[in-house]
Amino acid sequence: MNNLTVRTISGIGFVLIMLVGLLVDKFLFAALVLFIMTVMMKEFYRMTIGEEYRTQQVLAIIAGCIMFILVFLNCAFHVSGKYLSLTMVPVIILMISSLYAKDRADFKRLSHIYTGLLYIAAPLSLANLIAFQGGEFNALLLLCFFVIIWCSDIGAFAVGSTLGQKYGKKLWPEISPKKSWAGFWGGMAFAVLATLILRMTGLLELPAIHGIVMAVIMHIAGVYGDLFESQWKRASEVKDSGKIIPGHGGMLDRFDSAIFAVPAGAIYLSLLNLL
């Protein structure tokens, strides 16, 4: 099969898995996000520190999973928020264990461990706050967020590959040479269009103006998320974060935009008391 066919098939499978995880059941949602988080953190650590500090890598992934589970229990079953402090237990163990690492010649590389927690685990854990409304599982808004992000990515690729490479100026060539301003504006147009369609179908219950503003904010945040991951890959001299999704690369490659865009959309709606 050619690359386009592989990308199409794996992309459809990826979307179907996301739909099941977001719409069927809260436990499937939790399992899906925990799987995505674990893979993304493993990819990030493999990309930045390789085989070094393996014990600390495992402890960080455990800390991230505990963080998600505690927020999930708080949102789904009203477990007291005070138990969120338990997240610090593996983090403290992680810090202490670093003192016993055999090779401390490049100790500053250990900082990538904490970056993975802040960059990946924290945003995915807070996704629970969007997926649960009043203690009831309803991830439709979160699904709408992903649809907007996916359409933004599709628009950026479609317009950027057809117009941006020939006629458009580069967006940030030092970090991502293929991205163009034409792709940036194309992605924004697709994000706004997706938001309006979601609103017309009743899937997204927002006033039109707020939906448009939110789409623009999420698109811009998503572009920065994409560039942020590209900077890490460039610094680590890798093309993709992983190979788990055939034709698409790693899990981090698929969710780099969402890590920035989903919190940005949630913050906008929260400030307007629409979340």
Side-chain angles (χ1 to χ4, degrees):
M1 291 186 293
N2 60 41
N3 188 55
L4 179 59
T5 304
V6 172
R7 284 177 60 89
T8 301
I9 294 174
S10 61
I12 292 173
F14 170 76
V15 171
L16 290 176
I17 292 172
M18 290 293 294
L19 288 174
V20 171
L22 292 173
L23 298 178
V24 174
D25 179 80
K26 59 187 174 185
F27 295 109
L28 284 176
F29 163 76
L32 174 66
V33 178
L34 284 170
F35 174 74
I36 291 171
M37 177 190 295
T38 300
V39 174
M40 288 174 67
M41 292 183 74
K42 288 181 65 177
E43 289 177 348
F44 180 76
Y45 293 143
R46 184 171 58 244
M47 182 171 62
T48 55
I49 55 180
E51 298 299 316
E52 297 179 81
Y53 303 111
R54 293 301 299 272
T55 299
Q56 288 75 20
Q57 291 184 38
V58 172
L59 286 171
I61 292 172
I62 292 173
C65 291
I66 291 175
M67 182 189 304
F68 176 87
I69 291 170
L70 290 173
V71 179
F72 172 80
L73 292 175
N74 175 257
C75 293
F77 300 103
H78 306 290
V79 174
S80 175
K82 66 183 180 182
Y83 294 110
L84 292 174
S85 60
L86 293 174
T87 302
M88 287 304 298
V89 173
V91 175
I92 293 172
I93 295 174
L94 165 63
M95 293 175 179
I96 294 173
S97 70
S98 66
L99 300 175
Y100 294 91
K102 293 181 179 179
D103 184 9
R104 295 196 293 272
D106 195 10
F107 190 71
K108 63 180 180 291
R109 286 171 62 82
L110 192 63
S111 62
H112 295 319
I113 295 288
Y114 308 106
T115 302
L117 280 168
L118 181 63
Y119 173 39
I120 298 170
L124 291 181
S125 297
L126 294 176
N128 282 297
L129 303 178
I130 306 171
F132 288 89
Q133 305 293 327
E136 295 296 325
F137 176 67
N138 182 2
L140 185 59
L141 177 60
L142 188 57
L143 174 61
C144 289
F145 278 4
F146 280 117
V147 170
I148 294 168
I149 295 165
W150 294 335
C151 288
S152 169
D153 289 343
I154 292 170
F157 176 79
V159 178
S161 59
T162 55
L163 300 177
Q165 302 304 313
K166 294 182 179 180
Y167 309 107
K169 294 179 63 177
K170 299 300 180 182
L171 179 64
W172 209 314
E174 298 86 355
I175 298 177
S176 187
K178 292 185 178 180
K179 287 183 173 57
S180 64
W181 278 104
F184 174 85
W185 295 115
M188 181 180 293
F190 272 56
V192 171
L193 179 61
T195 302
L196 294 177
I197 292 174
L198 288 169
R199 183 176 177 275
M200 290 171 58
T201 57
L203 297 175
L204 184 64
E205 298 179 357
L206 284 178
I209 184 63
H210 291 307
I212 292 172
V213 173
M214 183 190 74
V216 170
I217 291 173
M218 290 181 64
H219 168 69
I220 295 172
V223 170
Y224 275 113
D226 194 329
L227 290 170
F228 186 71
E229 195 227 358
S230 295
Q231 180 78 314
W232 279 108
K233 290 193 292 187
R234 181 170 288 272
S236 303
E237 299 181 345
V238 299
K239 182 179 183 294
D240 296 316
S241 65
K243 300 179 180 180
I244 192 170
I245 308 175
H248 290 267
M251 199 70 75
L252 188 56
D253 295 323
R254 292 304 91 209
F255 286 92
D256 53 357
S257 299
I259 291 174
F260 280 32
V262 170
I267 290 170
Y268 175 75
L269 295 182
S270 297
L271 291 174
L272 297 175
N273 293 320
L274 295 173
L275 182 60

